[in-house]
Amino acid sequence: MNEFTIKLADERGRVQEQIHAAATAEELRSRFTQAGYLVYSVKPRSALGRTGKKKIKLEPFLVFNQQLLTLIRAGLPIPSSLELLAKRQKDPGFRAQMEDVAARVKTGQSISEAFEAQGTVSLVYTTTLLAGERSGNLEEVLARFLEFQRVALTFRKKLRASLIYPAFLVVMVIGLFIFLITFVVPRFADLYSQLGTKLPTLTLLLLSLGQNAQHYGLYIAPVIALAIYLIVRWSRTDSGAATVDRIRIALPVLGSVWVKYQVGLFARTLATLLTGGLPPVPSLETAARSIESRQIARAVITSVERIREGQPLHSSLLQTGVFPELSIEMIEVGEASGALPQMLNSVAEFFEEDVQTSLAAIMSLIEPIILIAMGVVVVVVLIALYLPIFSLNGVGGQ
């Protein structure tokens, strides 16, 4: 399949340029002509002219899908619903993508294929749409996806909110330390150089640190920024992401919280796909690709091979050695009772609540630890700076 830039006009005479994939330019022109468009030109899209599309933000995308579901339930055809909603989008990038989706659907593509061609929506969403198309129950499947995303979005917001205050305290500690080292310490260094007295070792170390920070700070800051940038870029590669994930899981307390969070997300995603009518194996593969943890995702993919051989889901996941025992037991009960999707939702709810409780407990400990660290930094700096003055007073008193 090749990509082409097509210039066309709709029935209202509105001219627009869109990018579509097709075997040949003639096939693409014929497709749009049969759909009622007036095609002006079809040109191959050069590799140099390709620009990455902006990723769609989750909240506007959920609003769009809620409106789409409402229009479909009201009896409006899907192509007309997509065209109507595309025109109402205020963000130019989002509007262009939805117009492209509407045009693709109008030319005969399925809605799942049209969204997948954008390259900016999640695999879970396109797979959910595909399940709805195959089962003939797109409305119900779309409603379940919206419910799943609302719950996931609410949970992520709670997590971010719980991390705001500790992050603020860390920034304050770092800012205070930089201020003391770069502004306060050099002033005392000038004072003590004029006195010409012998300084304690702690004071000498602190003054040396302050002088180095003042002289080399402009060089150190770009190096640190470059190092952070390179680490972030490396963490987005396959090997880097796998290494970061191993480090996360190996952390003493936060590692178990990270695993529970990923297992909860996996369980909720799998429940949504299974409820939508997708077979177990494609559901597992899609759910595995929807989570961040590479180790857990690899474990799920490994379990898929065992499921193809006829093993039940709970025993396949148990052999990976990654999933918590409680989740395995709940999945086993769900399989035995024939209510696996409902039990998976229960797994997700349990672990999401457990993650929130664990984070609340961790944050209640981290906050006083950060405050104590801030106090220790200030006290050590003050002692190091004023210790020579106390020594001078002692000498003068004798």
Side-chain angles (χ1 to χ4, degrees), residues 173-314:
V173 170
I174 296 173
L176 176 63
F177 184 74
I178 292 174
F179 171 76
L180 291 174
I181 294 300
T182 60
F183 184 79
V184 176
V185 172
R187 300 298 187 277
F188 278 84
D190 295 338
L191 172 63
Y192 293 142
S193 64
Q194 295 174 5
L195 294 177
T197 183
K198 185 178 180 180
L199 301 177
T201 304
L202 180 61
T203 305
L204 290 173
L205 290 174
L206 187 63
L207 294 180
S208 176
L209 179 61
Q211 290 173 350
N212 290 330
Q214 197 173 34
H215 293 157
Y216 303 110
L218 294 177
Y219 304 101
I220 295 174
V223 171
I224 294 175
L226 178 61
I228 293 174
Y229 171 76
L230 292 176
I231 291 173
V232 171
R233 288 290 300 271
W234 170 74
S235 66
R236 292 176 180 173
T237 62
D238 290 337
S239 61
T243 302
V244 171
D245 185 55
R246 284 196 298 270
I247 294 173
R248 283 174 177 169
I249 293 176
L251 292 175
V253 178
L254 295 176
S256 62
V257 176
W258 171 250
V259 170
K260 291 174 184 177
Y261 171 65
Q262 291 296 298
V263 170
L265 179 60
F266 164 77
R268 193 172 291 282
T269 305
L270 182 59
T272 301
L273 295 173
L274 290 175
T275 308
L278 204 65
V281 170
S283 298
L284 282 166
E285 292 173 340
T286 302
R289 290 196 290 268
S290 68
I291 58 179
E292 294 179 51
S293 175
R294 299 299 180 93
Q295 188 169 336
I296 296 177
R298 283 199 301 268
V300 174
I301 296 299
T302 302
S303 70
V304 168
E305 299 300 325
R306 301 189 183 99
I307 291 173
R308 284 197 177 103
E309 296 171 359
Q311 293 188 23
L313 176 60
H314 73 273

Side-chain angles (χ1 to χ4, degrees), residues 148 155 249 255-271 287 290-293 295-297 299-300 317 320-328 330-331 343-352 355:
F148 158 66
F155 181 64
I249 293 176
S256 62
V257 176
W258 171 250
V259 170
K260 291 174 184 177
Y261 171 65
Q262 291 296 298
V263 170
L265 179 60
F266 164 77
R268 193 172 291 282
T269 305
L270 182 59
S290 68
I291 58 179
E292 294 179 51
S293 175
Q295 188 169 336
I296 296 177
V300 174
L317 294 178
T320 62
V322 175
F323 282 75
E325 291 184 9
L326 181 59
S327 66
I328 301 295
M330 294 176 72
I331 291 173
M343 188 58 69
L344 286 169
N345 278 323
S346 298
V347 171
E349 292 172 2
F350 175 83
F351 281 109
E352 286 168 357
V355 167

